[in-house]
Amino acid sequence: MNPAHSLRQLLAKPGTLIAPGAYDAIGVRLIEQAGFLAAYMTGAGTSLARGYPDLGLLTMGEMVENAAAMARSSQIPLIADADTGFGNELNVTRCVREYETRGVAAIHLEDQIMPKRCGHTDGKDVVSREEFISKIRAAVAARQNPAFVLIARTDARAVVGFDEAIWRANAALAAGADIAFVEAPQTAKEVADVPKYVRGPCLLNIVPGGRTPIDSLRDTEKAGYKLAILPGFMLMANIDAGDQALATLKSTMMSPAAKGSVTDVFRRFGLDQWNALATRLTASDDDSR
């Protein structure tokens, strides 16, 4: 089934769809094998994996190709960060089509001024209402598959206040966006109020140590959010585990014992299927002789 159709089916079910975040094919495969039904490509993690902070320094090509590698590496739908659409309405049009043709199920587009910043840090600014809604209309018109999910993100809460963020979320839904993403509500009341005042499905971005107070994903579901993303989940897990492993190596000069063989690791990434394909192709060559 088309990834976008699969995502829409998941979103149509009761409750909150949880999409842990990853920044590469390894992460998305681990998310799938852990039993999650969707994954999220973090823009911040994609940038960090290329040696840059989350300051809008990556090109559309870099973001799209990372999304393509992640999308083809698992069978669960991938939701991807598409920053601001990388320019004006024409750039947004190309952006939507590039992600869509790579097998991505959904993207979110935001109203920050480029160069953009992480939604849970200072120094952001947003474009006008008119420019934001114009970009959302362009995105809606650009998709080739009507099932491709468009998420409208507004960072207005931190810049011009909660009421403006709600207005932008509703205007984006009215312009054809499928899900509203009010970035970084700053109190528990605001977290609860977003689904009350937004007239459509809502996404919550869960960032430990960020601006949004949230203790449990169960609270997200009780509040009425349809989708929750955890962008830094695999990123922080890898950093923490890497720091610990490297510190142990340096202090003990002992390589940690492996939990499995190298072949076991490769099997998690399709070794058996590729070997079976090679066997079939070789057999075909023998039959033709």
Side-chain angles (χ1 to χ4, degrees):
M1 182 181 294
N2 180 279
H5 284 99
S6 296
L7 179 59
R8 284 189 180 269
Q9 287 188 351
L10 291 170
L11 292 170
K13 295 180 180 180
T16 303
L17 178 64
I18 306 299
Y23 57 90
D24 63 7
I26 296 175
V28 74
R29 184 66 69 93
L30 294 181
I31 290 168
E32 178 184 30
Q33 292 173 354
F36 289 94
L37 301 179
Y40 173 73
M41 186 196 88
T42 161
T46 299
S47 187
L48 293 171
R50 285 150 184 75
Y52 297 105
D54 187 18
L55 295 174
L57 297 173
L58 296 194
T59 65
M60 179 176 66
E62 290 173 303
M63 293 283 283
V64 166
E65 289 311 310
N66 191 49
M70 292 175 65
R72 70 169 177 257
S73 298
S74 81
Q75 298 301 309
I76 59 176
L78 181 70
I79 302 154
D81 187 347
D83 288 341
T84 65
F86 307 98
N88 64 16
E89 290 83 356
L90 294 180
N91 301 103
V92 168
T93 299
R94 184 186 173 198
C95 172
V96 169
R97 292 175 179 173
E98 294 289 340
Y99 276 94
E100 187 178 356
T101 57
R102 299 313 199 282
V104 174
I107 60 171
H108 65 73
L109 297 164
E110 66 196 59
D111 59 356
Q112 281 198 51
I113 289 174
M114 284 293 283
K116 55 90 63 186
R117 289 174 176 266
C118 170
H120 290 257
T121 60
D122 296 327
K124 302 180 294 295
D125 203 353
V126 293
V127 300
S128 68
R129 289 178 170 185
E130 293 76 15
E131 182 175 342
F132 177 47
I133 301 308
S134 179
K135 284 186 175 184
I136 297 301
R137 290 196 186 102
V140 171
R143 58 184 169 187
Q144 306 297 296
N145 177 5
F148 186 71
V149 178
L150 293 172
I151 303 167
R153 166 177 156 175
T154 175
D155 285 70
R157 168 62 188 93
V159 182
V160 285
F162 184 76
D163 290 345
E164 177 66 13
I166 296 298
W167 187 95
R168 290 183 180 221
N170 282 320
L173 290 171
D178 299 296
I179 299 175
F181 175 1
V182 175
E183 174 66 306
Q186 296 182 8
T187 66
K189 184 178 185 304
E190 288 185 357
V191 172
D193 281 349
V194 168
K196 293 178 182 178
Y197 296 129
V198 172
R199 296 185 291 273
C202 295
L203 177 155
L204 183 64
N205 184 18
I206 299 174
V207 180
R211 300 286 173 82
T212 301
I214 188 76
D215 296 323
S216 169
L217 293 176
R218 293 184 178 88
D219 296 334
T220 305
E221 186 164 347
K222 290 178 183 176
Y225 286 90
K226 180 48 62 177
L227 177 62
I229 58 173
L230 296 86
F233 190 84
M234 293 301 298
L235 172 69
M236 298 310 299
N238 288 342
I239 290 175
D240 291 345
D243 283 343
Q244 182 177 351
L246 289 165
T248 299
L249 175 63
K250 188 172 183 180
S251 64
T252 65
M253 297 307 290
M254 297 282 291
S255 178
K259 294 183 178 180
S261 69
V262 173
T263 300
D264 290 336
V265 173
F266 290 168
R267 279 188 172 131
R268 297 186 69 176
F269 294 86
L271 175 65
D272 292 339
Q273 292 90 332
W274 284 100
N275 281 340
L277 176 60
T279 299
R280 289 198 303 272
L281 294 175
T282 302
S284 297
D285 289 340
D286 292 340
D287 293 342
S288 65
R289 292 171 187 166

